[in-house]
């Protein structure tokens, strides 16, 4: 049966192996497993990291990546996802899809006969979380037992995929968010079923206590633009500042998937400060995705 990466749950049982492989690849140890093969990349939303890291990563693996903006292909004029999946499956070897709706990513994967990668949707961002866990492992030397504290919008794709990813590697996670922005119950329940301690709380002076990893994301995700003013009001007070970082462990790292909006979810001092690993995360998107591609296309 073909493999897909639509949710972090799809790598359950393989996650640490893929991360270790990505760390090896970063040291130059990889083969051209995409030689003569092509990836189609469908984008419904903007992207810097996802587009460039996939394009360059596929090239390093000996393959070719096609950038397809939704508006430039017939999908944008009403051709069905089913037909798009069936047609692309006749030309290319793997599809990456950045979509507004998780259901649409599932629909594409259902009808494609080749592996499909979720390049971010409204519910999850698995490629980013694979890169994030790789980055934590590089900096901390391990994953199990570490505590991640996430600040801000707890009900978005990053918070959800981090809950699943941290649970799968034996980390603990605390989400610090206004009550109305705690994660969707589905993800909290799944993470707890996987054995993770999940704490949910609102902001407090000691919110980052015992954190090995402090993480945040934009307060206004792609698709949330109509609520921008309301969100900026609601999340006021949830900024990751130097004060917040002082409350975490002294060797804690700061993470952000980027793009960041300084003065809102994080101050520029923290994001560009000595504890920040944000640009390692960005680089690791490429290595993690190369390892994901190898796993998806493997036996
Ligand atoms: N982190 C991330 O997915 O960035 P892009 O939106 O630039 O791809
Ligand atoms: N939560 C953000 C992540 C961007 C990479 C968004 O969906 O816009």
């Amino acid at each position: 049966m073909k493999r897909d990466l639509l949710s972090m749950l799809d790598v359950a049982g393989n996650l640490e192996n893929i991360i270790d492989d990505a760390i090896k690849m970063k040291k130059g140890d990889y083969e051209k497993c995409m030689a003569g093969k092509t990836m189609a990349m469908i984008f419904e939303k903007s992207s810097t990291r996802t587009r460039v890291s996939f394009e360059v990563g596929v090239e390093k693996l000996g393959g070719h990546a096609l950038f397809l903006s939704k508006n430039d292909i017939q999908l944008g004029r009403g051709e069905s996802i089913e037909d798009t999946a069936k047609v692309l499956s006749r030309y290319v070897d793997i599809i990456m899809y950045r979509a507004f709706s998780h259901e649409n990513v599932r629909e594409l994967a259902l009808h494609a006969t080749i592996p499909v990668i979720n390049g971010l949707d409204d519910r999850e961002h698995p490629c980013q979380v694979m890169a994030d866990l790789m980055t934590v492992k590089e900096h901390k030397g391990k994953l199990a037992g570490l505590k991640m504290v996430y600040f801000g919008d707890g009900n978005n794709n990053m918070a959800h995929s981090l809950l699943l990813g941290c649970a799968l590697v034996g980390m603990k996670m605390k989400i610090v968010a206004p009550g109305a922005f705690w994660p969707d119950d589905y993800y909290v329940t799944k993470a707890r079923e996987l054995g993770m301690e999940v704490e949910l709380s609102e902001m407090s002076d000691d919110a980052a206590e015992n954190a090995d990893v402090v993480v945040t994301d934009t307060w206004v995700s792609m698709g949330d633009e109509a609520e921008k003013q309301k969100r900026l009001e609601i999340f006021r007070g949830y900024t990751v500042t130097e004060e917040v970082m002082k409350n975490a462990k002294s060797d804690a790292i700061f993470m952000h998937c980027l793009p960041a909006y300084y003065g809102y979810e994080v101050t520029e001092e923290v994001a560009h400060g000595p504890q920040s690993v944000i640009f390692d995360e960005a680089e690791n998107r490429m290595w993690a995705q190369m390892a994901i591609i190898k796993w998806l296309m493997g036996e």
Side-chain angles (χ1 to χ4, degrees):
M1 218 177 73
K2 73 164 175 126
R3 292 173 179 156
D4 297 305
L5 174 60
L6 312 183
S7 160
M8 285 306 291
L9 293 175
D10 294 326
V11 286
N14 297 289
L15 179 51
E16 288 228 45
N17 283 344
I18 299 173
I19 290 169
D20 289 343
D21 203 28
I23 292 172
K24 250 175 62 187
M25 286 180 154
K26 189 172 178 177
K27 294 180 178 139
D29 186 358
Y30 60 87
E31 280 165 26
K32 295 195 181 289
C33 67
M34 278 204 69
K37 296 195 158 67
T38 304
M39 167 182 274
M41 308 189 296
I42 307 172
F43 282 91
E44 291 182 0
K45 296 172 172 174
S46 308
S47 171
T48 299
R49 280 143 290 267
T50 305
R51 177 177 178 179
V52 178
S53 62
F54 266 112
E55 219 167 294
V56 177
V58 166
E59 194 180 317
K60 283 190 189 297
L61 294 176
H64 177 64
L66 284 174
F67 172 76
L68 305 171
S69 157
K70 185 179 175 185
N71 293 333
D72 297 335
I73 57 174
Q74 299 290 5
L75 185 63
R77 294 184 64 250
E79 184 167 19
S80 71
I81 291 176
E82 176 173 348
D83 287 3
T84 303
K86 289 178 173 170
V87 169
L88 289 179
S89 297
R90 300 288 179 108
Y91 298 130
V92 305
D93 304 279
I94 186 163
I95 303 172
M96 193 290 302
Y97 185 19
R98 168 165 285 198
F100 278 99
S101 144
H102 186 71
E103 281 65 45
N104 287 355
V105 178
R106 291 213 170 264
E107 170 91 356
L108 188 90
L110 180 70
H111 297 290
T113 57
I114 54 175
V116 172
I117 300 176
N118 178 355
L120 176 149
D121 62 35
D122 57 335
R123 307 268 295 166
E124 284 209 43
H125 196 0
C127 294
Q128 183 67 52
V129 169
M130 303 281 288
D132 288 359
L133 293 175
M134 172 187 173
T135 309
V136 173
K137 191 154 188 184
E138 278 183 333
H139 283 271
K140 297 284 173 194
K142 62 172 188 176
L143 293 168
L146 296 177
K147 179 168 182 177
M148 174 179 283
V149 181
Y150 175 104
F151 287 86
D153 183 0
N155 188 241
N156 75 5
N157 41 22
M158 281 305 301
H160 293 156
S161 287
L162 282 168
L163 275 169
L164 298 179
C166 289
L168 288 170
V169 297
M171 288 173 64
K172 295 174 215 153
M173 193 167 175
K174 177 175 177 184
I175 305 264
V176 183
F181 288 85
W182 285 357
D184 190 295
D185 282 345
Y186 170 85
Y187 292 97
V188 176
T189 304
K190 277 279 174 226
R192 287 187 174 142
E193 279 171 13
L194 289 165
M196 184 164 78
E197 276 176 45
V198 182
E199 275 179 83
L200 304 174
S201 83
E202 299 208 326
M203 193 58 157
S204 65
D205 289 345
D206 61 356
E209 209 165 62
N210 284 325
D212 298 287
V213 182
V214 173
V215 54
T216 187
D217 185 17
T218 179
W219 294 342
V220 187
S221 283
M222 291 179 279
D224 293 335
E225 290 81 1
E227 295 178 357
K228 182 171 176 182
Q229 284 317 317
K230 189 181 107 187
R231 284 172 166 266
L232 297 187
E233 280 299 309
I234 290 171
F235 291 113
R236 198 203 303 250
Y238 283 81
T239 308
V240 177
T241 59
E242 285 176 311
E243 281 308 300
V244 170
M245 290 304 295
K246 274 193 200 119
N247 183 237
K249 285 190 182 166
S250 57
D251 62 351
I253 53 173
F254 170 76
M255 303 185 79
H256 191 312
C257 65
L258 303 178
Y261 301 92
Y262 300 130
Y264 295 96
E265 73 270 16
V266 63
T267 63
E268 191 163 359
E269 289 72 28
V270 170
H272 291 171
Q275 287 165 282
S276 175
V277 298
I278 59 175
F279 299 113
D280 291 340
E281 273 181 274
E283 175 182 348
N284 286 343
R285 285 293 301 275
M286 184 176 75
W287 304 110
Q289 287 157 191
M290 287 165 65
I292 290 165
I293 291 169
K294 180 178 154 192
W295 176 71
L296 287 171
M297 313 247 308
E299 302 303 306

